Amino acid sequence: MEEASIVRTRRLALVTGGTRGIGAAIARRLQQEGHEVVATYRGNDAAAAAFASDTGMRAYRWDVGDFDACQAGVARVEDEAGMPVDILVNNAGITRDATLHKMTPEQWRVVLEDDLFACFNMTKAVIAGMRERGWGRIVNIASINGQKGQFGQTNYAAAKAGMLGFTKSLALESAGKGITVNAVAPGYIATDMVAAMVPKVLEAIVAQIPVGRLGHPDDVAHVVSFLVDDRSAYLTGSTISVNGGMYLV
Ligand code: CAA
């Protein structure tokens, strides 16, 4: 197929946690490709306002760990955009790193809710419409640490590994309906989340990345853009690693 002959359909994409870090790079990339894009965020109003004024995208504030908030939020987004969400990127996530013997039930709970339950909450808000229309793209942003485990991250690794099982199961359920469901597993990407790590621990991790550097949010956005493309219709249930060669599966 000639690149020049492709006419891309303009669709509504929703990126959770889309005003900063990897999510913002994904949102910008999908907008560059001609999609209508909205981002959600939870707490950082200043960053969201700066992002919205810079990009012209709408930024919506709600907690993706809250089921009812997701149903109401998506309904509002679709109403205000005048079109349904055809592309969902479940990107929002948090860490509360601690070894298990020190981890509090609260640190366990919030990470599972924000990182894993959020996929269920958000996907439930869009899946019926996608099935009716016979088209959809769902991309779940997991992590290298859901694939290999990580010291100090039983909560986060469990949530991210859970996203991979969720992705495969939903891909099977959706394959006959024109909906693809895939995961991207980033390695260590230069974002606020990684910058918050203990510097010595981070240094030791960077030394283990064959490409020799932290990833850039655009490295992940590029793969998401490929996955949501109309031409990626035969690619479903996969996990694509974007980790600089740090872990090969
Ligand atoms: N590997 C092996 N041993 C380690 C270790 C590691 N990564 N980290 C700590 N230890 C050792 C310490 O040397 C110490 O040993 P001694 O007692 O013999 O001195 C012992 O474990 C300390 O255990 P503690 O339970 O006291 O752990 P801590 O409180 O010192 O550190 C931690 C816990 C801060 C979570 C630390 O382990 C850590 O920073 N781990 C890395 C977490 C990480 O990679 N986070 C990624 C955040 S970004 C992200 O998640 C994005 C993404 O998707 C990739």
Side-chain angles (χ1 to χ4, degrees):
M1 226 184 307
E2 291 275 328
E3 188 73 19
S5 71
I6 303 286
V7 179
R8 290 199 172 81
T9 309
R10 180 178 169 82
R11 302 185 190 277
L12 176 60
L14 187 156
V15 183
T16 67
T19 61
R20 294 192 298 136
I22 293 174
I26 295 168
R28 285 175 189 272
R29 176 69 184 246
L30 297 184
Q31 185 187 49
Q32 279 163 15
E33 289 178 354
H35 294 297
E36 180 75 26
V37 186
V38 299
T40 74
Y41 70 102
R42 192 187 22 204
N44 192 332
D45 287 323
F51 173 83
S53 91
D54 193 34
T55 61
M57 289 181 220
R58 287 202 174 100
Y60 291 84
R61 180 174 172 157
W62 78 77
D63 176 0
V64 289
D66 177 336
F67 182 82
D68 293 336
C70 291
Q71 313 319 300
V74 170
R76 187 176 152 215
V77 164
E78 292 185 333
D79 188 47
E80 291 181 5
M83 60 202 292
V85 174
D86 276 334
I87 300 170
L88 171 65
V89 183
N90 285 312
N91 164 78
I94 60 165
T95 53
R96 292 290 181 273
D97 293 353
T99 46
L100 187 79
H101 62 276
K102 292 183 182 172
M103 189 178 289
T104 63
E106 180 66 5
Q107 287 173 318
W108 171 262
R109 187 184 63 76
V110 294
V111 170
L112 268 290
E113 280 181 5
D114 284 16
D115 297 9
L116 181 59
F117 285 32
C119 286
F120 173 81
N121 298 342
M122 287 300 298
T123 305
K124 282 287 281 183
V126 302
I127 195 76
M130 289 180 177
R131 289 173 68 89
E132 271 165 32
R133 295 187 298 279
W135 200 94
R137 294 283 184 270
I138 298 172
V139 181
N140 298 319
I141 307 300
S143 165
I144 185 174
N145 293 341
Q147 297 171 300
K148 72 169 187 58
Q150 170 64 337
F151 196 105
Q153 286 199 311
T154 50
N155 49 3
Y156 186 79
K160 295 297 185 175
M163 287 173 78
L164 302 183
F166 176 91
T167 298
K168 291 176 193 175
S169 303
L170 186 64
L172 292 174
E173 294 177 10
S174 308
K177 297 285 181 188
I179 304 165
T180 69
V181 188
N182 291 288
V184 178
Y188 284 76
I189 308 295
T191 60
D192 292 347
M193 184 186 272
V194 167
M197 291 177 64
V198 179
K200 265 189 119 172
V201 174
L202 181 56
E203 250 170 60
I205 284 172
V206 173
Q208 295 165 37
I209 303 173
V211 168
R213 63 166 173 89
L214 290 175
H216 189 279
D218 287 336
D219 294 327
V220 180
H222 176 63
V223 175
V224 174
S225 131
F226 163 70
L227 288 171
V228 306
D229 195 286
D230 277 296
R231 292 163 292 176
S232 297
Y234 205 61
L235 201 177
T236 196
S238 291
T239 299
I240 302 186
S241 297
V242 187
N243 63 28
M246 190 180 182
Y247 184 68
L248 306 176
V249 281

